[in-house]
Amino acid sequence: MRLSLILSFALAPLLVAAQDAGKSTPAPASAAPEGQVDAKTQFEDAKKLLKETSPGVYDLNGIQITAATRELRIPCSILHQKLPIEYALCHEAGEKVHETILQTVVKPIQIQLALLLANYQPGTAGILEKLDPKEERPYNAKDTEPATPGANRIAIHCEWKEGDKVKKVPLSDFIQNIDTRKTPPDLDTWIFNGSIIDQTGFAAEITGSIISTYVDRVAIINSAAKGNHRDELWISMPANIPAEETKVTMIITPAAPAAAK
């Protein structure tokens, strides 16, 4: 199936949601800054940037999408090597850049669109699957399932050059648990939950939140690690992170079949 046809299927529910949001209670004037556009317009503008660069390979403002393998390659850079974190990736102008390892110039809405084009399906199912029933949920909304079971589960790796060599590691290698001082052993899978659409538009476009280590429904992708509801639990793993300002390619692929069950 050509990406243009997938695009029409992928965007349909989002555009309906955006239209419905616009029909709901009007947002206060303070919630819609001058010049802000609605979510439908934001997605349509992002769609116009898509171009085919070779058979089955597409570019969306620097994101490379390979249709056959569903691989996304997103240009990023190291912003911080050593810090407490709540995010692994934010937009360079985002509100949370002081607590993220990586940043990107690519807009959040373009990343969500690229995920949809590669046939990933948003759903919050899996974010809180390791939460102790005795612990308080960080959000009250009922979890949503993707249309295809497991289609919201992804693997994320980071790739960069060191001299003549190319290094590639799981994104989880950049993260450690402050209690154990080890990388999380259960973060081979991340959850594409998709950001929310509200009266201000596509929410991640406002906050710049893309990949969260601490549960954030506005972020596009969330950690599935045990303890992800604790904002103080996660810090960077400096020994595994290249120097600040190093250009890094973030690679998103489907989660391994065993992890997607």
Side-chain angles (χ1 to χ4, degrees):
M1 184 182 292
R2 288 188 61 82
L3 218 57
S4 56
L5 185 55
I6 294 175
L7 177 62
S8 62
F9 288 131
L11 284 184
L14 284 169
L15 298 184
V16 169
Q19 289 168 337
D20 289 345
K23 295 174 184 175
S24 61
T25 305
S30 59
E34 185 178 353
Q36 185 172 297
V37 294
D38 61 58
K40 180 179 179 180
T41 302
Q42 289 173 318
F43 273 101
E44 291 292 353
D45 288 345
K47 184 174 68 172
K48 293 173 185 176
L49 299 174
L50 183 70
K51 57 186 178 183
E52 188 169 15
T53 56
S54 61
V57 179
Y58 298 80
D59 178 87
L60 180 63
N61 194 30
I63 305 172
Q64 181 179 295
I65 309 167
T66 302
T69 61
R70 300 172 62 206
E71 179 189 82
L72 305 184
R73 299 178 68 89
I74 304 169
C76 306
S77 63
I78 300 296
L79 182 60
H80 298 116
Q81 253 190 340
K82 185 176 182 180
L83 79 167
I85 61 170
E86 290 188 9
Y87 298 87
L89 176 64
C90 289
H91 185 264
E92 64 173 0
E95 297 174 355
K96 305 292 186 177
V97 289
H98 60 287
E99 47 194 359
T100 184
I101 299 169
L102 293 130
Q103 65 176 352
T104 183
V105 299
V106 180
K107 291 185 176 182
I109 201 164
Q110 295 163 355
I111 292 175
Q112 175 136 334
L113 178 57
L115 284 159
L116 293 170
L117 288 170
N119 206 24
Y120 297 102
Q121 299 170 9
T124 59
I127 294 177
L128 299 178
E129 63 186 359
K130 296 163 190 168
L131 183 71
D132 189 312
K134 298 177 183 178
E135 295 178 305
E136 184 179 355
R137 286 172 60 93
Y139 58 85
N140 294 321
K142 184 178 179 181
D143 282 321
T144 57
E145 296 280 351
T148 303
N152 65 334
R153 295 177 177 258
I154 59 177
I156 307 178
H157 290 77
C158 291
E159 182 180 276
W160 69 96
K161 290 192 71 174
E162 281 191 0
D164 296 331
K165 297 181 179 180
V166 175
K167 293 199 68 173
K168 180 180 177 181
V169 302
L171 174 58
S172 57
D173 277 15
F174 287 0
I175 300 162
Q176 64 176 313
N177 180 309
I178 199 169
D179 291 343
T180 65
R181 297 290 173 166
K182 295 180 179 179
T183 57
D186 57 348
L187 198 48
D188 53 349
T189 296
W190 295 76
I191 303 298
F192 168 42
N193 52 276
S195 187
I196 60 176
I197 295 173
D198 60 20
Q199 292 131 323
T200 67
F202 184 71
E205 199 73 355
I206 305 298
T207 65
S209 306
I210 299 171
I211 301 178
S212 180
T213 54
Y214 164 62
V215 174
D216 177 6
R217 273 296 286 111
V218 169
I220 294 168
I221 297 167
N222 267 262
S223 162
K226 183 176 177 59
N228 59 358
H229 64 294
R230 292 176 51 192
D231 63 345
E232 84 289 353
L233 187 61
W234 307 104
I235 60 176
S236 62
M237 178 67 91
N240 295 344
I241 300 174
E244 293 177 2
E245 300 185 14
T246 298
K247 294 186 184 302
V248 173
T249 299
M250 182 170 286
I251 303 170
I252 295 177
T253 54
K261 290 180 180 178

